[in-house]
Amino acid sequence: MSATPSTLPRAVLFDWDNTLVDTWGCIHAALSATLMAMGHAPWTEEETRARVRQSLRDSFPRMFGNRWQEARDVFYDTFAAIHIERLRPMAGAETLLTALAGRGVYLGVVSNKTGTFLREEADALGWTRFFGRLVGAADAVRDKPDPAPVLMALEPSGLTPCRDVWFVGDADIDMECAHGAGCLPVFVGPEAEAACDRFPPVHRFDTCDALCTLVRRLGDTISFTTSAGTVGI
């Protein structure tokens, strides 16, 4: 990993689940109900945390074969019934979003959560106001780690992926997406989760609070790239 950034980015794209909001319990409950309905043994929560990375449309056909649409319906029905009441922000997440937005940094979300659920959760938290666009699974032609949702999330800003666009997430698939799209990969989460050997982060922070401390320290300086290099204003 490189030295600590010296200027803020022009844009930050966030993963959603377990980067900004704590949803492992909800995901695990819905997946357990699905596995049991399909005649499979439920996973432990530790197994859910280790295995859940891809979007449903990418992972369920592999898991359930030609019954994947039936499994999808069970998962969605279960998830829809519980996801708002179990929704919890990650510590420091709203403070981080407020600090970035207040300094003119464009914000977006690229998630493998179904887009409808994603936007319902942002509305429930009062966070929709922070984001130029929230892109979930099936909103773009392909899902994360493909670059397509990154391009969609950046459209309202007029920016294209570059090192002045940070992709912030808590999993290897987020770092893979950042590398593939050409954004700066930033990992937020415990050291034990940072198993990103193939697609390493450039910067890593233990928590949203730690990243927010950096944002505040950098103040109102925003970087942008010109033919002469990186300029701070």
Side-chain angles (χ1 to χ4, degrees), residues 83-107:
H83 76 119
I84 296 299
E85 68 183 47
R86 297 195 183 190
L87 184 63
R88 300 290 184 273
M90 297 292 283
E94 184 166 3
T95 303
L96 172 60
L97 296 174
T98 300
L100 286 165
R103 287 161 173 79
V105 178
Y106 174 85
L107 302 179

Side-chain angles (χ1 to χ4, degrees), residues 38-220:
M38 302 300 291
H40 297 273
W43 295 349
T44 65
E45 185 163 341
E46 289 71 24
E47 288 173 320
T48 299
R49 287 175 179 266
R51 296 178 182 180
V52 172
R53 292 291 183 269
Q54 295 180 308
S55 66
L56 185 149
R57 71 171 170 177
D58 287 340
S59 61
F60 269 36
R62 185 182 68 254
M63 293 172 64
F64 301 108
N66 59 12
R67 297 182 65 198
W68 79 269
Q69 291 174 314
E70 180 184 348
R72 174 199 62 193
D73 293 344
V74 174
F75 183 89
Y76 283 163
D77 288 347
T78 307
F79 192 88
I82 63 175
H83 76 119
I84 296 299
E85 68 183 47
R86 297 195 183 190
L87 184 63
R88 300 290 184 273
M90 297 292 283
E94 184 166 3
T95 303
L96 172 60
L97 296 174
T98 300
L100 286 165
R103 287 161 173 79
V105 178
Y106 174 85
L107 302 179
V109 171
V110 175
S111 173
N112 274 342
K113 169 170 279 173
T114 300
T116 301
F117 292 146
L118 169 64
R119 289 180 284 275
E120 286 176 354
E121 292 181 3
D123 283 345
L125 292 169
W127 288 2
T128 302
R129 60 193 168 91
F130 290 122
F131 302 109
R133 182 166 289 172
L134 295 107
V135 180
D139 288 337
V141 292
R142 288 172 295 277
D143 299 327
K144 186 171 65 177
D146 191 274
V150 170
L151 298 175
M152 180 178 283
L154 285 174
E155 276 180 4
S157 72
L159 299 170
T160 56
C162 63
R163 304 299 271 184
D164 281 329
V165 176
W166 293 2
F167 194 112
V168 177
D170 72 312
D172 50 0
I173 196 170
D174 300 315
M175 302 301 99
E176 179 180 356
C177 187
H179 278 270
C183 301
L184 190 81
V186 178
F187 192 97
V188 173
E191 185 68 41
E193 295 292 327
C196 307
D197 294 338
R198 290 181 59 210
F199 303 99
V202 173
H203 304 296
R204 198 193 70 80
F205 300 88
D206 289 338
T207 63
C208 289
D209 282 324
L211 179 52
C212 189
T213 297
L214 172 67
V215 169
R216 286 171 166 165
R217 179 157 54 82
L218 295 177
D220 293 330

Side-chain angles (χ1 to χ4, degrees), residues 6-8 220-226 229-233:
S6 59
T7 55
L8 290 178
D220 293 330
T221 302
I222 300 177
S223 70
F224 62 94
T225 301
T226 70
T230 299
V231 180
I233 59 173

Side-chain angles (χ1 to χ4, degrees), residues 20-36:
L20 294 176
V21 296
D22 182 357
T23 56
W24 276 125
C26 187
I27 293 170
H28 176 65
L31 185 57
S32 293
T34 304
L35 288 166
M36 288 188 289

